[in-house]
Amino acid sequence: MKELSTAQDLSSYIDFAAHEGKEITLVGQIQNLRVLAWGGFVILRLPNYLVQCVADATKINMPLAELKPEATVRVSGTLVKANIKDVAMWPREWEVSIASIEVLSMPSEEALPVDTTKKELSCDLSTKFDYRPLTLRHPRERAIFRIASTVYNEFGEALARLGFTRICSPKIVYSGAEGGANIFKLSYFERQAFLAQSPQFYKQMMVGVFGRVYEQGPVFRAEEHDTSRHLNEYISLDMEMRLENGFEDIMQVEAAVLKSIFERLQRECAPELALLGVTAPSIDKIITVTFAEAHQIVLDQTGRDCRGEKDLDPEEERVVCDYAKKTWGTDFVFVTHYPSVKRPFYALDDPANPDTTLSFDLLFRGIEITTGGARMFRYEDYLRKMKARDMNPQLFESYLQAFRYGMPPHGGLGLGLERLVAQICGLANVKEASLFPRDRKRLEP
Ligand code: AMO
């Protein structure tokens, strides 16, 4: 029997100021190595930092030339003040003056297939994804996913502070929730199952239990087309809530959550934002335009008349966002009252105009990042709408139970993590905000 100590400091954060002028030992992987006549630099990748270590050839215990990028090493030395210009480095006001290096692991391969020691990863997207375990080690890639991690955490924590309960719903499901053909089929023992397109049914059922719930997890869409805004698997940030005043409640909660996310990014991801050359957005006003007004904006701005269309196309979303930026100085615009025919069956029609729904999309810098809205909550309304859409209510009986036995007025939203992160980081393709993207041709790594 052996009892392990529980008193150890397990955090990977380092109080650099407290170590100034003192001995420090760091274990990390070599991000970059520069061997010079007088010694050189070892750039060490740690869980939260990229630390510059400087070696004097006459003082260290081994020649730097024996090291390789991506080797894992234990570096001991003195932490000294520095003034580092390179924004990839963090911290920039301290460096380690190396006394000794111990190699803990050496790479098997001689050369990196993609050079992650350069300022930019100079390879095409496909190569970047083929070598994902390696290319993700590049500081710019790491920055994207540190930002994604913070966005993910704060989405949940902000909602939890508002009294939402986290749920985890099944991803193997008996039916699609969003309609359409973009659903993956799965053989499930003797029957057919599907991969969840969204947690829609479950988060609604859980409003009957908790009143306010959220979920963060993968969802699956069998999109056949290869576009810069679609993935076949993405992380959906979902919430669902009882409505007290109307579907505006949902937009107010979303704006508050986004505000918390952006403030936390500013506090915790300043180095990552600086490295990517972007600033955290702000959402101080909640600007809404109706779907009809959005079409009018497009007509006025471009002369394109899309008023007969039942959806906004990507070009229209860009025009509406440009207009919102110019007119109201905001990167965010909620487009409300989408046509009923284009929304899933569960959407609540506007009693004042039943051809439209009490729903919205949130557009951010030219692209839809969220869909949300109020849902039907009366059992009879579900039966009526399903009938009108040629759907068989019996196939949805397990979901409809919730409504049969009483549900409050409610609504919610789904926010695509990768789309939000891609827009924050200024990425041209949503796949770059996915660790291991899945598209029609890509199932590996
Ligand atoms: P929707 O299908 O519009 O709505 O999806 C919600 C949000 O998810 C993101 N998204 C995607 N991101 C990457 N690749 C895709 N293929 C993809 N498809 C969607 C977008 C989008 O705004 N149940 C509803 C939400 C709700 O009403 O609560 C739903 O899933 O950012």
Side-chain angles (χ1 to χ4, degrees), residues 178 197-198 200 203 221 223 229-232 234 236 238-240 346 361 368-373 375 412-416 418-419 430:
E178 305 303 330
Q197 293 166 302
S198 77
Q200 184 64 36
K203 62 179 183 167
R221 303 280 171 108
E223 317 276 1
R229 33 200 285 156
H230 290 100
L231 290 157
N232 291 115
Y234 69 91
S236 188
D238 276 87
M239 66 89 151
E240 199 72 17
Y346 53 76
D361 275 7
E368 169 210 320
I369 57 162
T370 295
T371 292
R375 329 293 187 188
L413 60 83
L415 168 61
E418 294 82 353
R419 284 205 190 166
V430 72

Side-chain angles (χ1 to χ4, degrees), residues 170-173 175-184 194-202 217-223 232 234-236 238 344 346:
K171 301 301 156 216
I172 301 176
V173 294
S175 161
E178 305 303 330
N182 63 356
I183 187 155
F184 287 109
F194 301 94
L195 286 180
Q197 293 166 302
S198 77
Q200 184 64 36
F201 292 173
Y202 297 94
V219 295
F220 307 89
R221 303 280 171 108
E223 317 276 1
N232 291 115
Y234 69 91
I235 301 297
S236 188
D238 276 87
Y346 53 76

Side-chain angles (χ1 to χ4, degrees), residues 54 62 73 85 134-135 139 210 219 232 269 311 319 321 347 371 399 417:
V54 190
M62 66 179 289
V73 290
K85 299 277 175 300
L134 175 65
T135 55
F210 291 116
V219 295
N232 291 115
C269 292
D311 213 345
V319 173
C321 284
T371 292
Y399 162 62
L417 174 67

Side-chain angles (χ1 to χ4, degrees), residues 8 50 65 129 134 142 150 185 187 233 250 274 325 347 376:
Q8 238 176 319
L50 203 55
F129 297 148
L134 175 65
R142 279 223 317 174
T150 304
K185 295 191 178 90
S187 125
E233 175 176 347
I250 312 162
K325 182 82 183 167
M376 292 186 295

